[in-house]
Amino acid sequence: MTYRRLAQIKTAQDLRDYLARLGVDLPFDETVQSGPDSPLAQPYVLSEPQATEGVQTPGRPTAVVRIGNRFAILPMEGWDGTHDGRPTELTVRRWQRFGSSGAKLIWGGEAVAVRMDGRANPRQLLLKEANLASLAALREALEAAHAARFGRVDDLLVGLQLTHSGRFARPYAQKGFVPPILYHHPILDRRYGLPPDLPLWTDEAIASLVEDFVQAAGLAQRAGFAFVDIKCCHGYLGHEFLSAVDRPGRYGGSLANRTRFLREIVAGIRAQAPGLGVGVRLSAFDFVPFRPNADGVGEPEPLGHPYRYAFGGDGTGVGIDLAEPCAFLDLLASLGVRLVCISAGSPYYNPHIQRPALFPPSDGYLPPEDPLAGVARLIRVTAQLKQHRPDLAIVGSGYSYLQEWLPNVAQHVVRTGQADFVGLGRMALSYPDMVADVLAGQPLQRQRICRTFSDCTTAPRQGLVSGCYPLDDFYKARPEAKQLKTIKAAM
Ligand SMILES: Cc1cc2nc3c(=O)[nH]c(=O)nc-3n(C[C@H](O)[C@H](O)[C@H](O)COP(=O)(O)O)c2cc1C
Ligand code: SF4
């Protein structure tokens, strides 16, 4: 099946007709406003209330923060830190570009591991005392770039995403590391060659990891970050907990047990880093792992039984049930967590529901649906969750595939209250200034618009630093661009 390229859809009517033909419900505003009255330029007032139940927040006043507009930059790793987890010049450049984009909410920058064995790759940033100054400098570089262009940072909110990569941890360059897992997953264990007798995380080891998260949050606070995001998405450990339905003991089975890890981290942060904001990035729904069929098109792994390992899934493997995600948001609200970023699935086993793309990454599959369907699904789910908890500050994801139409959909979503912020991922790699251009009413720079070529995912999958090789002149000129071309030609 071939899908129409958005770059060729020039009029609103053409887009409406195409969406109707696809049967995809994706409303958008025909005209994008600019200037101070535009919906996307409106400030958002975030007040983090005292926890109402469950968690003590001793001496913690209600914090009120004004976030200057409705664009957020989503976290994106570059696979370009030093081997001991400090940023390099490439990392600093990426963060400076995030800063000068004009977005007033920096959701986490990129995933930073709370300890060595939790790194997703040997070049991931690592939060430890010895790296504190370099992470503070990274934040300062972002803020300096923002200040240089926009003259102020008092309405800019910068957080840091904290993670342990769980079953997707690949912390060492040499092969042979077997990642810890919370439970045996019938498909993922097979796919990643995990032996059936691989021992699981013990409850004691989890308790010690909770302490590592809390320590890391304290370091992030000392590095000047306003909040930390406890990453609960994309198949990494915080997300794996939510599907640990078969796990016995304190951290598995019931939803209360599956959220214990997060609750303990939040309680630790409240006690040991009072005043630090806490956010959560959530894969609000998940599907069964997909695989390429004979034509390379993605298809769900066959199931002979209900699929129980999709948090937010309905048991079919490809359907959604938001009962547990809604309960999860209720829990966050009760913990005083107001910042929530909605994502879905995992880039490893079902990327099309998380980062809709026309061109798959090297370990992916051709799109099983028009990527617009994936964009619309994420927007719809985010809107349903926002409706369930209007009091939370909700950030949406997965907009980059919209390309020229991103501002139109973004404005519609924010104007109609379906999300509070529109998060930009890949578009912030190819064309971070899209934010500033939209807010200033400048025409879009079409040659910089992300076309979802997926090179920023393919490169790291092949051991290269991540960046926008097709569209960013800086990466085009790097030696890795040639290597990537050769690798892709051989695939
Ligand atoms: C190269 C790359 C790195 C990413 N790294 C992270 C990460 O560190 N943490 C995270 O939560 N999401 C990460 N993501 C997912 C993005 O934040 C975002 O959810 C996804 O790209 C979909 O949004 P988009 O359509 O605007 O790209 C990454 C995505 C890409 C392409
Ligand atoms: S490599 Fe560039 S164009 Fe391709 S998906 Fe990434 S940001 Fe977009």
Side-chain angles (χ1 to χ4, degrees), residues 77 81-86 112-127 131 163-166 168-173 177 236:
E77 293 165 70
T82 63
H83 286 288
D84 58 353
R86 279 172 293 118
V112 178
V114 300
R115 64 188 217 192
M116 190 62 172
D117 72 357
R119 292 210 285 182
N121 72 80
R123 307 292 298 271
Q124 187 170 40
L125 300 187
L126 176 62
L127 202 42
N131 294 352
T163 192
H164 187 292
S165 296
F168 295 106
R170 304 287 181 269
Y172 309 111
F177 176 78
Y236 297 112

PDB file of all heavy atoms in Angstrom, residues 77 81-86 112-127 131 163-166 168-173 177 236:
ATOM      1  N   GLU A  77      17.713  11.298  22.862  1.00  0.00           N
ATOM      2  CA  GLU A  77      19.117  10.934  23.048  1.00  0.00           C
ATOM      3  C   GLU A  77      19.864  11.080  21.739  1.00  0.00           C
ATOM      4  O   GLU A  77      19.293  10.911  20.668  1.00  0.00           O
ATOM      5  CB  GLU A  77      19.245   9.454  23.408  1.00  0.00           C
ATOM      6  CG  GLU A  77      18.710   9.033  24.719  1.00  0.00           C
ATOM      7  CD  GLU A  77      18.607   7.506  24.717  1.00  0.00           C
ATOM      8  OE1 GLU A  77      19.662   6.858  24.738  1.00  0.00           O
ATOM      9  OE2 GLU A  77      17.473   7.002  24.687  1.00  0.00           O
ATOM     10  N   GLY A  81      27.286  10.753  24.185  1.00  0.00           N
ATOM     11  CA  GLY A  81      27.992  11.132  25.404  1.00  0.00           C
ATOM     12  C   GLY A  81      29.373  10.477  25.455  1.00  0.00           C
ATOM     13  O   GLY A  81      29.734   9.665  24.585  1.00  0.00           O
ATOM     14  N   THR A  82      30.164  10.832  26.468  1.00  0.00           N
ATOM     15  CA  THR A  82      31.454  10.158  26.657  1.00  0.00           C
ATOM     16  C   THR A  82      31.181   8.786  27.273  1.00  0.00           C
ATOM     17  O   THR A  82      30.074   8.506  27.740  1.00  0.00           O
ATOM     18  CB  THR A  82      32.354  10.954  27.612  1.00  0.00           C
ATOM     19  OG1 THR A  82      31.711  10.989  28.905  1.00  0.00           O
ATOM     20  CG2 THR A  82      32.588  12.369  27.123  1.00  0.00           C
ATOM     21  N   HIS A  83      32.212   7.948  27.296  1.00  0.00           N
ATOM     22  CA  HIS A  83      31.975   6.606  27.823  1.00  0.00           C
ATOM     23  C   HIS A  83      31.660   6.614  29.317  1.00  0.00           C
ATOM     24  O   HIS A  83      31.045   5.673  29.825  1.00  0.00           O
ATOM     25  CB  HIS A  83      33.142   5.673  27.479  1.00  0.00           C
ATOM     26  CG  HIS A  83      33.110   5.287  26.032  1.00  0.00           C
ATOM     27  ND1 HIS A  83      32.164   4.418  25.517  1.00  0.00           N
ATOM     28  CD2 HIS A  83      33.839   5.704  24.969  1.00  0.00           C
ATOM     29  CE1 HIS A  83      32.330   4.300  24.213  1.00  0.00           C
ATOM     30  NE2 HIS A  83      33.344   5.076  23.853  1.00  0.00           N
ATOM     31  N   ASP A  84      32.041   7.694  30.008  1.00  0.00           N
ATOM     32  CA  ASP A  84      31.623   7.749  31.420  1.00  0.00           C
ATOM     33  C   ASP A  84      30.380   8.629  31.604  1.00  0.00           C
ATOM     34  O   ASP A  84      30.036   9.003  32.719  1.00  0.00           O
ATOM     35  CB  ASP A  84      32.782   8.157  32.345  1.00  0.00           C
ATOM     36  CG  ASP A  84      33.359   9.507  31.966  1.00  0.00           C
ATOM     37  OD1 ASP A  84      32.938  10.045  30.907  1.00  0.00           O
ATOM     38  OD2 ASP A  84      34.197  10.027  32.714  1.00  0.00           O
ATOM     39  N   GLY A  85      29.703   8.941  30.508  1.00  0.00           N
ATOM     40  CA  GLY A  85      28.351   9.502  30.632  1.00  0.00           C
ATOM     41  C   GLY A  85      28.250  11.007  30.715  1.00  0.00           C
ATOM     42  O   GLY A  85      27.240  11.541  31.169  1.00  0.00           O
ATOM     43  N   ARG A  86      29.299  11.707  30.239  1.00  0.00           N
ATOM     44  CA  ARG A  86      29.201  13.170  30.197  1.00  0.00           C
ATOM     45  C   ARG A  86      28.836  13.638  28.789  1.00  0.00           C
ATOM     46  O   ARG A  86      29.099  12.939  27.817  1.00  0.00           O
ATOM     47  CB  ARG A  86      30.537  13.802  30.634  1.00  0.00           C
ATOM     48  CG  ARG A  86      30.696  13.850  32.157  1.00  0.00           C
ATOM     49  CD  ARG A  86      32.092  14.287  32.580  1.00  0.00           C
ATOM     50  NE  ARG A  86      33.077  13.290  32.209  1.00  0.00           N
ATOM     51  CZ  ARG A  86      34.087  13.521  31.361  1.00  0.00           C
ATOM     52  NH1 ARG A  86      34.247  14.692  30.817  1.00  0.00           N
ATOM     53  NH2 ARG A  86      34.938  12.552  31.072  1.00  0.00           N
ATOM     54  N   VAL A 112      18.569  10.176  30.699  1.00  0.00           N
ATOM     55  CA  VAL A 112      19.840  10.107  31.414  1.00  0.00           C
ATOM     56  C   VAL A 112      19.736   8.957  32.418  1.00  0.00           C
ATOM     57  O   VAL A 112      18.792   8.910  33.220  1.00  0.00           O
ATOM     58  CB  VAL A 112      20.115  11.447  32.137  1.00  0.00           C
ATOM     59  CG1 VAL A 112      21.418  11.379  32.919  1.00  0.00           C
ATOM     60  CG2 VAL A 112      20.163  12.585  31.130  1.00  0.00           C
ATOM     61  N   ALA A 113      20.692   8.047  32.362  1.00  0.00           N
ATOM     62  CA  ALA A 113      20.614   6.865  33.227  1.00  0.00           C
ATOM     63  C   ALA A 113      20.962   7.231  34.671  1.00  0.00           C
ATOM     64  O   ALA A 113      21.817   8.087  34.913  1.00  0.00           O
ATOM     65  CB  ALA A 113      21.566   5.791  32.718  1.00  0.00           C
ATOM     66  N   VAL A 114      20.274   6.572  35.594  1.00  0.00           N
ATOM     67  CA  VAL A 114      20.549   6.848  37.008  1.00  0.00           C
ATOM     68  C   VAL A 114      21.701   5.981  37.526  1.00  0.00           C
ATOM     69  O   VAL A 114      22.206   6.221  38.607  1.00  0.00           O
ATOM     70  CB  VAL A 114      19.304   6.632  37.896  1.00  0.00           C
ATOM     71  CG1 VAL A 114      18.170   7.542  37.464  1.00  0.00           C
ATOM     72  CG2 VAL A 114      18.858   5.169  37.895  1.00  0.00           C
ATOM     73  N   ARG A 115      22.078   4.982  36.735  1.00  0.00           N
ATOM     74  CA  ARG A 115      23.279   4.233  37.087  1.00  0.00           C
ATOM     75  C   ARG A 115      23.788   3.468  35.866  1.00  0.00           C
ATOM     76  O   ARG A 115      23.046   3.263  34.898  1.00  0.00           O
ATOM     77  CB  ARG A 115      23.042   3.306  38.279  1.00  0.00           C
ATOM     78  CG  ARG A 115      22.039   2.217  38.007  1.00  0.00           C
ATOM     79  CD  ARG A 115      21.740   1.494  39.280  1.00  0.00           C
ATOM     80  NE  ARG A 115      21.546   0.075  39.048  1.00  0.00           N
ATOM     81  CZ  ARG A 115      21.043  -0.754  39.952  1.00  0.00           C
ATOM     82  NH1 ARG A 115      20.691  -0.309  41.149  1.00  0.00           N
ATOM     83  NH2 ARG A 115      20.904  -2.029  39.665  1.00  0.00           N
ATOM     84  N   MET A 116      25.045   3.050  35.963  1.00  0.00           N
ATOM     85  CA  MET A 116      25.762   2.512  34.797  1.00  0.00           C
ATOM     86  C   MET A 116      24.998   1.382  34.107  1.00  0.00           C
ATOM     87  O   MET A 116      24.843   1.380  32.883  1.00  0.00           O
ATOM     88  CB  MET A 116      27.134   2.014  35.274  1.00  0.00           C
ATOM     89  CG  MET A 116      28.057   1.654  34.166  1.00  0.00           C
ATOM     90  SD  MET A 116      28.401   3.112  33.149  1.00  0.00           S
ATOM     91  CE  MET A 116      29.671   2.474  32.096  1.00  0.00           C
ATOM     92  N   ASP A 117      24.503   0.408  34.880  1.00  0.00           N
ATOM     93  CA  ASP A 117      23.896  -0.754  34.222  1.00  0.00           C
ATOM     94  C   ASP A 117      22.532  -0.440  33.613  1.00  0.00           C
ATOM     95  O   ASP A 117      21.925  -1.289  32.970  1.00  0.00           O
ATOM     96  CB  ASP A 117      23.815  -1.960  35.185  1.00  0.00           C
ATOM     97  CG  ASP A 117      22.754  -1.774  36.267  1.00  0.00           C
ATOM     98  OD1 ASP A 117      22.116  -0.700  36.321  1.00  0.00           O
ATOM     99  OD2 ASP A 117      22.557  -2.703  37.076  1.00  0.00           O
ATOM    100  N   GLY A 118      22.063   0.797  33.788  1.00  0.00           N
ATOM    101  CA  GLY A 118      20.762   1.167  33.230  1.00  0.00           C
ATOM    102  C   GLY A 118      20.874   1.943  31.933  1.00  0.00           C
ATOM    103  O   GLY A 118      19.870   2.420  31.407  1.00  0.00           O
ATOM    104  N   ARG A 119      22.100   2.077  31.408  1.00  0.00           N
ATOM    105  CA  ARG A 119      22.238   2.855  30.172  1.00  0.00           C
ATOM    106  C   ARG A 119      21.710   2.059  28.974  1.00  0.00           C
ATOM    107  O   ARG A 119      21.970   0.862  28.845  1.00  0.00           O
ATOM    108  CB  ARG A 119      23.699   3.217  29.923  1.00  0.00           C
ATOM    109  CG  ARG A 119      24.220   4.197  30.949  1.00  0.00           C
ATOM    110  CD  ARG A 119      25.293   5.095  30.383  1.00  0.00           C
ATOM    111  NE  ARG A 119      26.572   4.446  30.212  1.00  0.00           N
ATOM    112  CZ  ARG A 119      27.659   5.076  29.756  1.00  0.00           C
ATOM    113  NH1 ARG A 119      27.606   6.344  29.429  1.00  0.00           N
ATOM    114  NH2 ARG A 119      28.790   4.432  29.627  1.00  0.00           N
ATOM    115  N   ALA A 120      21.030   2.749  28.074  1.00  0.00           N
ATOM    116  CA  ALA A 120      20.481   2.100  26.883  1.00  0.00           C
ATOM    117  C   ALA A 120      21.559   1.874  25.839  1.00  0.00           C
ATOM    118  O   ALA A 120      21.372   1.084  24.909  1.00  0.00           O
ATOM    119  CB  ALA A 120      19.365   2.954  26.281  1.00  0.00           C
ATOM    120  N   ASN A 121      22.668   2.597  25.966  1.00  0.00           N
ATOM    121  CA  ASN A 121      23.795   2.411  25.044  1.00  0.00           C
ATOM    122  C   ASN A 121      25.040   2.949  25.740  1.00  0.00           C
ATOM    123  O   ASN A 121      24.932   3.733  26.687  1.00  0.00           O
ATOM    124  CB  ASN A 121      23.509   3.110  23.714  1.00  0.00           C
ATOM    125  CG  ASN A 121      23.579   4.627  23.843  1.00  0.00           C
ATOM    126  OD1 ASN A 121      24.656   5.210  23.852  1.00  0.00           O
ATOM    127  ND2 ASN A 121      22.423   5.271  24.000  1.00  0.00           N
ATOM    128  N   PRO A 122      26.210   2.548  25.271  1.00  0.00           N
ATOM    129  CA  PRO A 122      27.438   2.948  25.983  1.00  0.00           C
ATOM    130  C   PRO A 122      27.756   4.434  25.880  1.00  0.00           C
ATOM    131  O   PRO A 122      28.712   4.886  26.495  1.00  0.00           O
ATOM    132  CB  PRO A 122      28.537   2.120  25.276  1.00  0.00           C
ATOM    133  CG  PRO A 122      27.848   1.122  24.438  1.00  0.00           C
ATOM    134  CD  PRO A 122      26.487   1.631  24.146  1.00  0.00           C
ATOM    135  N   ARG A 123      26.955   5.186  25.119  1.00  0.00           N
ATOM    136  CA  ARG A 123      27.189   6.630  25.002  1.00  0.00           C
ATOM    137  C   ARG A 123      26.063   7.432  25.660  1.00  0.00           C
ATOM    138  O   ARG A 123      25.937   8.630  25.435  1.00  0.00           O
ATOM    139  CB  ARG A 123      27.294   7.024  23.520  1.00  0.00           C
ATOM    140  CG  ARG A 123      28.298   6.225  22.703  1.00  0.00           C
ATOM    141  CD  ARG A 123      29.727   6.496  23.121  1.00  0.00           C
ATOM    142  NE  ARG A 123      30.104   7.887  22.928  1.00  0.00           N
ATOM    143  CZ  ARG A 123      30.622   8.394  21.814  1.00  0.00           C
ATOM    144  NH1 ARG A 123      30.844   7.616  20.778  1.00  0.00           N
ATOM    145  NH2 ARG A 123      30.952   9.663  21.716  1.00  0.00           N
ATOM    146  N   GLN A 124      25.219   6.765  26.433  1.00  0.00           N
ATOM    147  CA  GLN A 124      24.125   7.509  27.080  1.00  0.00           C
ATOM    148  C   GLN A 124      24.661   8.313  28.266  1.00  0.00           C
ATOM    149  O   GLN A 124      25.595   7.876  28.960  1.00  0.00           O
ATOM    150  CB  GLN A 124      23.041   6.542  27.575  1.00  0.00           C
ATOM    151  CG  GLN A 124      21.793   7.264  28.098  1.00  0.00           C
ATOM    152  CD  GLN A 124      20.630   6.323  28.375  1.00  0.00           C
ATOM    153  OE1 GLN A 124      20.820   5.224  28.897  1.00  0.00           O
ATOM    154  NE2 GLN A 124      19.432   6.743  28.027  1.00  0.00           N
ATOM    155  N   LEU A 125      24.044   9.459  28.507  1.00  0.00           N
ATOM    156  CA  LEU A 125      24.451  10.270  29.655  1.00  0.00           C
ATOM    157  C   LEU A 125      24.140   9.517  30.951  1.00  0.00           C
ATOM    158  O   LEU A 125      23.188   8.737  31.025  1.00  0.00           O
ATOM    159  CB  LEU A 125      23.724  11.613  29.653  1.00  0.00           C
ATOM    160  CG  LEU A 125      23.940  12.514  28.431  1.00  0.00           C
ATOM    161  CD1 LEU A 125      23.292  13.885  28.657  1.00  0.00           C
ATOM    162  CD2 LEU A 125      25.416  12.678  28.099  1.00  0.00           C
ATOM    163  N   LEU A 126      24.968   9.801  31.962  1.00  0.00           N
ATOM    164  CA  LEU A 126      24.851   9.105  33.244  1.00  0.00           C
ATOM    165  C   LEU A 126      24.895  10.146  34.358  1.00  0.00           C
ATOM    166  O   LEU A 126      25.784  11.011  34.374  1.00  0.00           O
ATOM    167  CB  LEU A 126      26.024   8.126  33.366  1.00  0.00           C
ATOM    168  CG  LEU A 126      26.190   7.342  34.648  1.00  0.00           C
ATOM    169  CD1 LEU A 126      24.973   6.435  34.885  1.00  0.00           C
ATOM    170  CD2 LEU A 126      27.462   6.483  34.571  1.00  0.00           C
ATOM    171  N   LEU A 127      23.939  10.050  35.260  1.00  0.00           N
ATOM    172  CA  LEU A 127      23.879  11.018  36.353  1.00  0.00           C
ATOM    173  C   LEU A 127      24.619  10.461  37.557  1.00  0.00           C
ATOM    174  O   LEU A 127      24.175   9.492  38.185  1.00  0.00           O
ATOM    175  CB  LEU A 127      22.407  11.305  36.695  1.00  0.00           C
ATOM    176  CG  LEU A 127      22.080  12.604  37.419  1.00  0.00           C
ATOM    177  CD1 LEU A 127      22.857  13.784  36.860  1.00  0.00           C
ATOM    178  CD2 LEU A 127      20.602  12.893  37.319  1.00  0.00           C
ATOM    179  N   ASN A 131      29.690  13.681  37.280  1.00  0.00           N
ATOM    180  CA  ASN A 131      29.188  14.288  36.035  1.00  0.00           C
ATOM    181  C   ASN A 131      28.316  15.511  36.289  1.00  0.00           C
ATOM    182  O   ASN A 131      27.783  16.105  35.342  1.00  0.00           O
ATOM    183  CB  ASN A 131      28.391  13.261  35.229  1.00  0.00           C
ATOM    184  CG  ASN A 131      29.257  12.128  34.726  1.00  0.00           C
ATOM    185  OD1 ASN A 131      30.477  12.183  34.854  1.00  0.00           O
ATOM    186  ND2 ASN A 131      28.644  11.093  34.176  1.00  0.00           N
ATOM    187  N   THR A 163      16.180   7.669  33.853  1.00  0.00           N
ATOM    188  CA  THR A 163      15.780   6.359  33.343  1.00  0.00           C
ATOM    189  C   THR A 163      16.670   5.239  33.842  1.00  0.00           C
ATOM    190  O   THR A 163      17.819   5.451  34.223  1.00  0.00           O
ATOM    191  CB  THR A 163      15.817   6.364  31.797  1.00  0.00           C
ATOM    192  OG1 THR A 163      15.170   5.192  31.290  1.00  0.00           O
ATOM    193  CG2 THR A 163      17.227   6.393  31.260  1.00  0.00           C
ATOM    194  N   HIS A 164      16.100   4.048  33.835  1.00  0.00           N
ATOM    195  CA  HIS A 164      16.864   2.805  33.793  1.00  0.00           C
ATOM    196  C   HIS A 164      16.280   2.023  32.632  1.00  0.00           C
ATOM    197  O   HIS A 164      15.063   1.901  32.499  1.00  0.00           O
ATOM    198  CB  HIS A 164      16.730   2.011  35.099  1.00  0.00           C
ATOM    199  CG  HIS A 164      17.643   0.811  35.130  1.00  0.00           C
ATOM    200  ND1 HIS A 164      17.468  -0.273  34.303  1.00  0.00           N
ATOM    201  CD2 HIS A 164      18.746   0.545  35.869  1.00  0.00           C
ATOM    202  CE1 HIS A 164      18.422  -1.172  34.535  1.00  0.00           C
ATOM    203  NE2 HIS A 164      19.221  -0.691  35.483  1.00  0.00           N
ATOM    204  N   SER A 165      17.149   1.494  31.771  1.00  0.00           N
ATOM    205  CA  SER A 165      16.639   0.945  30.519  1.00  0.00           C
ATOM    206  C   SER A 165      16.132  -0.485  30.622  1.00  0.00           C
ATOM    207  O   SER A 165      15.670  -1.056  29.621  1.00  0.00           O
ATOM    208  CB  SER A 165      17.708   1.053  29.432  1.00  0.00           C
ATOM    209  OG  SER A 165      17.965   2.420  29.200  1.00  0.00           O
ATOM    210  N   GLY A 166      16.239  -1.078  31.799  1.00  0.00           N
ATOM    211  CA  GLY A 166      15.624  -2.382  32.016  1.00  0.00           C
ATOM    212  C   GLY A 166      16.056  -3.402  30.988  1.00  0.00           C
ATOM    213  O   GLY A 166      17.249  -3.576  30.716  1.00  0.00           O
ATOM    214  N   PHE A 168      16.089  -3.292  27.951  1.00  0.00           N
ATOM    215  CA  PHE A 168      16.765  -2.720  26.779  1.00  0.00           C
ATOM    216  C   PHE A 168      18.092  -2.059  27.148  1.00  0.00           C
ATOM    217  O   PHE A 168      18.646  -1.280  26.359  1.00  0.00           O
ATOM    218  CB  PHE A 168      15.833  -1.750  26.053  1.00  0.00           C
ATOM    219  CG  PHE A 168      14.633  -2.455  25.468  1.00  0.00           C
ATOM    220  CD1 PHE A 168      13.375  -2.321  26.043  1.00  0.00           C
ATOM    221  CD2 PHE A 168      14.787  -3.300  24.379  1.00  0.00           C
ATOM    222  CE1 PHE A 168      12.280  -3.007  25.525  1.00  0.00           C
ATOM    223  CE2 PHE A 168      13.694  -3.987  23.859  1.00  0.00           C
ATOM    224  CZ  PHE A 168      12.442  -3.843  24.431  1.00  0.00           C
ATOM    225  N   ALA A 169      18.596  -2.357  28.340  1.00  0.00           N
ATOM    226  CA  ALA A 169      19.890  -1.793  28.739  1.00  0.00           C
ATOM    227  C   ALA A 169      21.011  -2.446  27.922  1.00  0.00           C
ATOM    228  O   ALA A 169      21.073  -3.676  27.800  1.00  0.00           O
ATOM    229  CB  ALA A 169      20.113  -2.009  30.234  1.00  0.00           C
ATOM    230  N   ARG A 170      21.884  -1.604  27.366  1.00  0.00           N
ATOM    231  CA  ARG A 170      23.079  -2.064  26.627  1.00  0.00           C
ATOM    232  C   ARG A 170      24.231  -1.158  27.051  1.00  0.00           C
ATOM    233  O   ARG A 170      24.764  -0.384  26.254  1.00  0.00           O
ATOM    234  CB  ARG A 170      22.868  -1.948  25.109  1.00  0.00           C
ATOM    235  CG  ARG A 170      21.645  -2.676  24.560  1.00  0.00           C
ATOM    236  CD  ARG A 170      21.796  -4.198  24.521  1.00  0.00           C
ATOM    237  NE  ARG A 170      20.597  -4.819  23.961  1.00  0.00           N
ATOM    238  CZ  ARG A 170      19.538  -5.224  24.667  1.00  0.00           C
ATOM    239  NH1 ARG A 170      19.526  -5.074  25.991  1.00  0.00           N
ATOM    240  NH2 ARG A 170      18.502  -5.784  24.072  1.00  0.00           N
ATOM    241  N   PRO A 171      24.639  -1.237  28.303  1.00  0.00           N
ATOM    242  CA  PRO A 171      25.541  -0.208  28.840  1.00  0.00           C
ATOM    243  C   PRO A 171      26.989  -0.321  28.408  1.00  0.00           C
ATOM    244  O   PRO A 171      27.734   0.641  28.508  1.00  0.00           O
ATOM    245  CB  PRO A 171      25.437  -0.409  30.354  1.00  0.00           C
ATOM    246  CG  PRO A 171      25.010  -1.831  30.526  1.00  0.00           C
ATOM    247  CD  PRO A 171      24.217  -2.197  29.317  1.00  0.00           C
ATOM    248  N   TYR A 172      27.390  -1.502  27.941  1.00  0.00           N
ATOM    249  CA  TYR A 172      28.809  -1.690  27.648  1.00  0.00           C
ATOM    250  C   TYR A 172      29.006  -1.949  26.161  1.00  0.00           C
ATOM    251  O   TYR A 172      28.155  -2.571  25.513  1.00  0.00           O
ATOM    252  CB  TYR A 172      29.364  -2.864  28.457  1.00  0.00           C
ATOM    253  CG  TYR A 172      29.023  -2.751  29.931  1.00  0.00           C
ATOM    254  CD1 TYR A 172      28.128  -3.629  30.534  1.00  0.00           C
ATOM    255  CD2 TYR A 172      29.573  -1.726  30.699  1.00  0.00           C
ATOM    256  CE1 TYR A 172      27.794  -3.504  31.872  1.00  0.00           C
ATOM    257  CE2 TYR A 172      29.245  -1.595  32.042  1.00  0.00           C
ATOM    258  CZ  TYR A 172      28.352  -2.486  32.621  1.00  0.00           C
ATOM    259  OH  TYR A 172      28.016  -2.351  33.933  1.00  0.00           O
ATOM    260  N   ALA A 173      30.141  -1.487  25.659  1.00  0.00           N
ATOM    261  CA  ALA A 173      30.405  -1.636  24.223  1.00  0.00           C
ATOM    262  C   ALA A 173      30.516  -3.114  23.855  1.00  0.00           C
ATOM    263  O   ALA A 173      30.034  -3.544  22.811  1.00  0.00           O
ATOM    264  CB  ALA A 173      31.678  -0.892  23.852  1.00  0.00           C
ATOM    265  N   PHE A 177      26.414  -8.650  27.715  1.00  0.00           N
ATOM    266  CA  PHE A 177      25.679  -8.174  28.890  1.00  0.00           C
ATOM    267  C   PHE A 177      24.231  -8.649  28.798  1.00  0.00           C
ATOM    268  O   PHE A 177      23.572  -8.456  27.782  1.00  0.00           O
ATOM    269  CB  PHE A 177      25.707  -6.651  28.950  1.00  0.00           C
ATOM    270  CG  PHE A 177      24.884  -6.088  30.076  1.00  0.00           C
ATOM    271  CD1 PHE A 177      25.364  -6.100  31.379  1.00  0.00           C
ATOM    272  CD2 PHE A 177      23.626  -5.550  29.834  1.00  0.00           C
ATOM    273  CE1 PHE A 177      24.608  -5.589  32.414  1.00  0.00           C
ATOM    274  CE2 PHE A 177      22.861  -5.033  30.865  1.00  0.00           C
ATOM    275  CZ  PHE A 177      23.360  -5.055  32.159  1.00  0.00           C
ATOM    276  N   TYR A 236      11.154   0.703  28.532  1.00  0.00           N
ATOM    277  CA  TYR A 236      12.225   0.739  29.536  1.00  0.00           C
ATOM    278  C   TYR A 236      11.638   0.371  30.900  1.00  0.00           C
ATOM    279  O   TYR A 236      10.435   0.160  31.056  1.00  0.00           O
ATOM    280  CB  TYR A 236      12.882   2.124  29.531  1.00  0.00           C
ATOM    281  CG  TYR A 236      13.550   2.446  28.206  1.00  0.00           C
ATOM    282  CD1 TYR A 236      13.058   3.441  27.372  1.00  0.00           C
ATOM    283  CD2 TYR A 236      14.664   1.725  27.780  1.00  0.00           C
ATOM    284  CE1 TYR A 236      13.670   3.728  26.145  1.00  0.00           C
ATOM    285  CE2 TYR A 236      15.290   2.006  26.553  1.00  0.00           C
ATOM    286  CZ  TYR A 236      14.781   3.007  25.743  1.00  0.00           C
ATOM    287  OH  TYR A 236      15.376   3.275  24.529  1.00  0.00           O
TER     288      TYR A 236
END
